[in-house]
């Protein structure tokens, strides 16, 4: 662990995040001329590709990476389990099931500017939260271990339902569902950026404000209670904040795995376990990581884009195994 976490954050991670934001829009099968910066409203091909496709896509990747990374930070803290993420707890599965069901039934509408897919994902995430807490309360034990096991079981159940809808759907809907479940950012636009932004911004503020509470929850429930923390309401608040962020991301990007596991673990190796430093480090690292992965995904093949979820899985699996071997030495 470094002795200067603040120096690591602002000396390394912040410049990397800024450079990623500035450089990624220029990387692609074709590179636009630098003059395109001064032509945001032009209708020539270079300007349209740069301003209407690549810039919003990079912004969406940065926001999604931030949300997924913070989801892992919070869930690993409140459940005191290094493998806890919104995916293993069933939240992402609930949001995915909501979107899958909406696509399967062909439900398309907009309510107060919010798409039907967003509402379906949000509803699915809320249902998963209710089921996790309902199962825990029904057993008379709302400990992190019980909720974690309940979340894993619900996640598997939702995955089975998604497979069932894929099997029952027609070829067109099944292809849309499969492609969406791979997780990709090809639907990025300024509308989707502003659709996700409120979820990420509000969730990040709540999580950053509660960094001391996260430190206490990481250690022990009794210790946290002895400091005056109301453990269950605090855990529920954090659960809701993360779930809303994940629902917003899954709606637009589909389920993108491994970011919520990789980013927090790597940042803990860099700056330690204090959430005062871990949260901003995870924001910068997670956003940069997913942006770089998506840049690779859209430039890897000339014939078709590779879904970014495949890239994060290809990188995340071996890296996670390396972390396991490293921690076991």
């Amino acid at each position: 662990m470094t002795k200067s976490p603040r120096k690591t954050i602002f000396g390394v991670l912040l410049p990397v995040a800024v450079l990623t934001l500035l450089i990624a829009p220029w990387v692609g099968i074709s590179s636009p001329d630098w003059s395109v910066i001064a032509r945001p409203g032009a209708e020539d091909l270079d300007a349209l590709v740069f301003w209407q496709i690549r810039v919003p896509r990079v912004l969406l990747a940065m926001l999604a990476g931030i949300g997924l990374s913070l989801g892992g930070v919070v869930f690993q803290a409140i459940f005191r389990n290094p493998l806890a993420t919104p995916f293993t707890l069933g939240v992402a599965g609930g949001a995915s099931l909501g979107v899958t069901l909406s696509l399967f039934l062909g439900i398309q509408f907009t309510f107060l500017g919010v798409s039907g897919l967003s509402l379906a994902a949000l509803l699915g995430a809320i249902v998963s939260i209710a089921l996790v807490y309902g199962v825990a309360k029904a057993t008379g034990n709302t400990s992190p271990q019980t909720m974690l096991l309940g979340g894993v079981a619900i996640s598997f159940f939702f995955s089975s339902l998604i497979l069932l809808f894929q099997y029952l759907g027609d070829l067109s809907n099944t292809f849309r569902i499969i492609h969406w479940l791979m997780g990709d950012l090809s639907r990025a636009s300024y509308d989707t950026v502003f659709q996700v932004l409120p979820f990420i911004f509000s969730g990040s503020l709540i999580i950053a404000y509660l960094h001391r509470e996260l430190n206490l929850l990481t250690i022990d429930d009794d210790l946290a209670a002895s400091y005056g923390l109301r453990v269950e309401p605090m855990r529920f608040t954090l659960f809701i904040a993360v779930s809303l962020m994940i629902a917003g991301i899954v709606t637009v990007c589909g389920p993108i795995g491994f970011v919520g596991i990789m980013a927090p673990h790597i940042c803990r190796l860099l700056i330690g376990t204090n959430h005062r430093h871990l949260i901003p480090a995870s924001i910068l690292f997670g956003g940069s990581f997913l942006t770089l992965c998506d840049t690779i995904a859209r430039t890897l093949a000339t014939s078709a884009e590779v879904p970014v979820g495949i890239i994060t899985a290809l990188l995340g699996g071996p890296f996670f195994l390396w972390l396991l071997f490293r921690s076991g030495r």
Side-chain angles (χ1 to χ4, degrees), residues 207-241:
I207 293 166
Y209 180 74
L210 298 174
H211 68 273
R212 294 183 183 85
E213 287 77 3
L214 282 169
N215 285 338
L216 292 173
L217 290 172
T218 304
I219 301 172
D220 184 73
D221 283 0
D222 293 334
L223 176 64
S226 70
Y227 278 87
L229 181 66
R230 299 177 62 198
V231 174
E232 285 304 322
M234 181 55 62
R235 186 177 286 132
F236 185 76
T237 300
L238 289 164
F239 205 115
I240 291 293

Side-chain angles (χ1 to χ4, degrees), residues 19-28 50 54 58 291-292 295 298:
L19 287 174
T20 301
L21 275 175
L22 294 176
I23 295 175
W26 298 96
V27 180
F50 184 83
R54 292 186 183 174
V58 167
T291 305
L292 291 172
T295 303
R298 61 183 170 80

Side-chain angles (χ1 to χ4, degrees), residues 1 72-73 76-77 263-273 275 278:
M1 181 190 309
V73 168
Q76 286 157 26
H265 281 287
I266 294 172
C267 290
R268 284 192 193 94
L269 292 175
L270 291 173
I271 54 92
T273 59
H275 286 82
L278 181 60

